Amino acid sequence: MEVHNKKLAIEGGPKAKTTPNFPMYPGGYEIGELEKQSVIDVINDKYLFRYYGPANVESRVKKFEEEFTAKIGVKYGLATNSCTSALIASLIALGVGPGDEVIVPGYTFFASCASIVAAKAVPVIVEVDDSLTVDPDDFERKITPRTKAIIAVHMRGAPCDMNRIMAIAGKHNIKVLEDVAQSTGGSYLGNRLGSIGIMGAFSFQYHKIITAGEGGMVTTNDQRLIDRAMAYHDTAACWRPGGPAGRFAKARYEGELFPGVNYRMSELTGAVMRAQLTRLDNLLYRMKSNKNRIKNAVSGTKGIEFRRLNDVEGDTAIVLIFYLPSAELAGKFAVALNAEGVGASSLHDKSVPDWHIYNHWDMILNKWTATPDGCPYSCPHYVDKGGKIEYSPDMNPKTLELLSRSVHIDIPPQLSPEDCDMIAEGILKVAEAYL
Ligand SMILES: Cc1ncc(COP(=O)(O)O)c(C=O)c1O
């Protein structure tokens, strides 16, 4: 690809990209007649609550669970009101609680970590590797006799190294909960994310690949785990299926029933999500085509090293990330790209807060808790097992170093081939000047 005018826009030259940037709301940006009609149908049917309504109408949330699990390739799904609640319900279902440690990567949205504390367990924050997902070596290094689970976050659209994570977890009897919030529809070696670990948690918040503004899903192949997640998400399985006989039936086994919260998905959300799910394959196809087009045009450029992908085929392609030789260059590069009209960001400036990087998680680093007794950190169940955890902003230097040298460019599905070519030209132009 030829760079038409080499003078950088930041130095007064013409912009490489002259078209507007789209917001990164892949499914949200497409919301239209399909979603509108789905919602109108709910209103017309007057079936607004997940567990009851007119007898001749079926719950949209239930239908969505069936359609979503068929897509992901798992037996069971439980729709929730967010991914945070899906994570908490999954941890509770897995039996995570006081005295346990849960491994989580230092690069993920804060919610992955907060969900562990909400489940009354202690987060152990580990490094990411050059895929920007859990570093399997650091995962293994930080296992203790108290480690009960790992939240494997498929960060920024791309899969973790699931083969290694599953092998290490299997060796140490650790449960793998996949956080698929940012990667719905992605896969690893042919299996959809959310079907590989013992449980998966998805997000349908507005920024995610498919969305209803808010929403989430628990996935698993294990009947007892879905029963327990279901019980927790519905105050105490208040609305167990099977009519009054089912609702009020005694627990079928120990651990089936216990008090919980209300994380139920609303029928209006379910209706929007059924429409959005029909768009998923097309959204993924467009993001992948766009990313390939840009990557092909800039690959081989001196000084640019693409983020490593654990499975190129399984990447949802929501973002193009590359590393530059230094943090200073990454910062300068992103500023120049923005001047070229290419929406880009770099994480080189550690003073700029970002909820996705552990060194900004003050609530964890300072062990702030809702009550002054300091549980779960000071909980006797934890302390008596020898548990003692210290956090510091520089405890995962590799994560910070990788992020500091990275440049991120979102890849909305709405980009045209011409938009992609202009983005590629912007990258080449800035690279020629700076690298
Ligand atoms: C990796 C990750 N996990 C969990 C969440 C929480 O999702 P929700 O907002 O649906 O609770 C997010 C949302 O940004 C996320 O990016």
Side-chain angles (χ1 to χ4, degrees):
M1 171 179 282
E2 199 195 331
V3 175
H4 290 95
N5 190 321
K6 296 193 185 231
K7 185 161 178 162
L8 292 181
I10 203 165
E11 289 165 5
K15 288 183 176 196
K17 184 162 182 286
T18 48
T19 51
N21 287 312
F22 294 95
M24 194 56 193
Y25 307 133
Y29 204 77
E30 309 272 304
I31 284 186
E33 285 308 313
L34 206 58
E35 286 77 2
K36 203 188 285 177
Q37 195 52 54
S38 273
V39 170
I40 290 170
D41 289 347
V42 172
I43 306 283
N44 285 340
D45 286 345
K46 295 186 172 32
Y47 193 110
L48 284 139
F49 179 64
R50 196 245 147 103
Y51 289 109
Y52 60 75
N56 57 341
V57 182
E58 240 193 315
S59 159
R60 266 80 178 183
V61 175
K62 183 165 176 286
K63 295 293 289 176
F64 174 52
E65 286 172 350
E66 289 164 8
E67 290 156 0
F68 192 80
T69 50
K71 171 69 76 187
I72 301 301
V74 285
K75 282 196 198 150
Y76 308 107
L78 177 75
T80 58
N81 55 10
S82 73
C83 179
T84 307
S85 48
L87 286 167
I88 299 169
S90 300
L91 290 169
I92 300 281
L94 288 168
V96 167
D100 295 330
E101 288 176 352
V102 177
I103 306 263
V104 66
Y107 181 47
T108 179
F109 183 59
F110 177 67
S112 320
C113 190
S115 69
I116 300 167
V117 181
K120 303 186 182 68
V122 171
V124 174
I125 304 168
V126 304
E127 299 270 27
V128 294
D129 62 18
D130 55 351
S131 70
L132 296 181
T133 63
V134 174
D135 174 347
D137 292 326
D138 204 41
F139 161 35
E140 186 150 36
R141 223 175 283 133
K142 289 182 177 159
I143 291 171
T144 74
R146 297 169 295 280
T147 312
K148 183 87 161 251
I150 176 170
I151 301 186
V153 184
H154 303 298
M155 192 56 179
R156 299 287 264 146
C160 299
D161 184 345
M162 289 307 287
N163 271 358
R164 284 206 61 205
I165 290 174
M166 294 301 288
I168 296 166
K171 194 163 89 186
H172 297 274
N173 194 23
I174 290 168
K175 316 277 186 207
V176 179
L177 166 57
E178 293 175 74
D179 181 336
V180 203
Q182 301 194 2
S183 304
T184 299
S187 58
Y188 176 77
L189 305 184
N191 294 310
R192 294 268 194 189
L193 305 180
S195 72
I196 305 164
I198 192 160
M199 298 189 90
F202 293 75
S203 176
F204 309 124
Q205 182 266 347
Y206 197 47
H207 225 84
K208 305 305 189 295
I209 296 175
I210 49 174
T211 183
E214 295 276 18
M217 180 77 77
V218 175
T219 53
T220 184
N221 285 312
D222 187 309
Q223 164 101 55
R224 290 207 170 179
L225 291 176
I226 211 73
D227 283 354
R228 280 169 60 86
M230 190 272 172
Y232 188 70
H233 110 300
D234 178 35
T235 57
C238 277
W239 293 99
R240 267 198 294 174
R247 278 187 69 193
F248 298 111
K250 296 274 178 256
R252 290 166 295 177
Y253 50 86
E254 197 183 320
E256 184 194 6
L257 298 180
F258 50 88
V261 292
N262 176 358
Y263 289 160
R264 295 185 300 253
M265 179 181 276
S266 103
E267 284 293 303
L268 293 168
T269 302
V272 174
M273 284 315 303
R274 287 189 73 198
Q276 283 272 296
L277 187 59
T278 66
R279 301 185 187 278
L280 179 62
D281 290 340
N282 177 264
L283 292 167
L284 293 170
Y285 172 78
R286 285 154 66 199
M287 290 189 290
K288 280 184 196 211
S289 312
N290 292 344
K291 184 165 173 179
N292 281 340
R293 192 173 176 106
I294 300 169
K295 242 180 137 170
N296 289 339
V298 305
S299 76
T301 305
K302 189 174 107 310
I304 287 186
E305 181 199 342
F306 293 127
R307 167 202 195 182
R308 186 174 60 76
L309 294 168
N310 287 307
D311 179 358
V312 177
E313 290 301 309
D315 177 23
T316 61
I318 60 170
V319 67
L320 174 68
I321 301 176
F322 50 84
Y323 302 109
L324 297 182
S326 73
E328 290 67 30
L329 266 176
K332 219 172 115 179
F333 204 104
V335 172
L337 273 180
N338 280 298
E340 295 294 340
V342 177
S345 61
S346 112
L347 305 172
H348 81 292
D349 187 348
K350 292 188 191 130
S351 66
V352 178
D354 184 336
W355 283 120
H356 297 86
I357 312 177
Y358 79 92
N359 63 337
H360 298 288
W361 299 345
D362 285 347
M363 304 79 158
I364 299 291
L365 298 186
N366 297 307
K367 301 183 191 167
W368 291 335
T369 50
T371 52
D373 50 51
C375 280
Y377 309 103
S378 61
C379 173
H381 292 287
Y382 185 58
V383 177
D384 293 352
K385 279 195 201 170
K388 183 170 170 16
I389 187 115
E390 293 302 335
Y391 304 108
S392 82
D394 51 9
M395 65 189 175
N396 287 327
K398 184 163 133 190
T399 299
L400 298 182
E401 198 272 335
L402 282 164
L403 290 172
S404 75
R405 290 193 294 110
S406 62
V407 174
H408 299 225
I409 299 172
D410 284 339
I411 309 285
Q414 291 81 19
L415 294 174
S416 68
E418 294 72 34
D419 290 325
C420 295
D421 292 346
M422 287 188 267
I423 291 173
E425 188 173 340
I427 297 171
L428 290 173
K429 189 177 167 188
V430 178
E432 271 187 35
Y434 287 171
L435 300 181

